[in-house]
Amino acid sequence: MTDTDCLFCRIVAGDIPGDKVAETDTVLAFRDLSPQAPVHVLVIPKVHSPNVAALAASDPALLADMAVVAQGVADAECGGEFRWIFNSGATAGQSVFHVHGHVLGGQQLGWSPA
Ligand code: AMP
């Protein structure tokens, strides 16, 4: 996987537009194109890593930075309460293989992963 193959690397680079809601030196947050809740924001590291476990192994501090950004988005948009989902692998629903945490909130959330 190279930056030019990866959709989210291309959003980080500005080659593809993203509806940005927060940014740090290392992390970007932007709205999901297909929102599943009133607040649905993707939080990603700017560097490429395929999934959450790979990022935790290679750079745990960066994963922690993502958590801080996720909380900041939730503080700004849904009273600080949110669900943070990492789909890991195609059978779990991962379709973009650049690690991203889905920040979901803004309503009472159900629990129906099927
Ligand atoms: P996942 O299925 O967990 O890999 O999540 C990928 C998410 O990326 C999906 O919820 C898509 O709706 C979202 N998505 C795909 N392309 C874009 C895009 N260009 N901008 C924002 N979100 C996107």
Side-chain angles (χ1 to χ4, degrees):
M1 178 69 71
T2 67
D3 286 7
T4 50
D5 295 327
C6 172
L7 173 64
F8 288 174
C9 285
R10 296 183 71 194
I11 290 175
V12 170
D15 297 338
I16 293 175
D19 187 0
K20 183 171 71 179
V21 297
E23 183 172 19
T24 70
D25 288 347
T26 57
V27 176
L28 183 66
F30 54 97
R31 294 192 195 284
D32 196 292
L33 267 188
S34 180
Q36 303 300 308
V39 176
H40 188 171
V41 171
L42 302 175
V43 178
I44 70 169
K46 290 184 175 177
V47 296
H48 185 85
S49 186
N51 59 56
V52 65
L55 182 63
S58 66
D59 193 344
L62 181 51
L63 182 57
D65 291 344
M66 290 170 61
V68 171
V69 170
Q71 183 66 63
V73 169
D75 288 345
E77 302 211 3
C78 47
E81 298 187 351
F82 66 110
R83 183 172 294 162
W84 203 28
I85 293 175
F86 292 89
N87 295 326
S88 295
T91 59
Q94 187 175 9
S95 60
V96 179
F97 290 83
H98 179 132
V99 58
H100 50 283
H102 296 255
V103 173
L104 295 164
Q107 67 179 29
Q108 182 64 49
L109 298 176
W111 188 249
S112 179

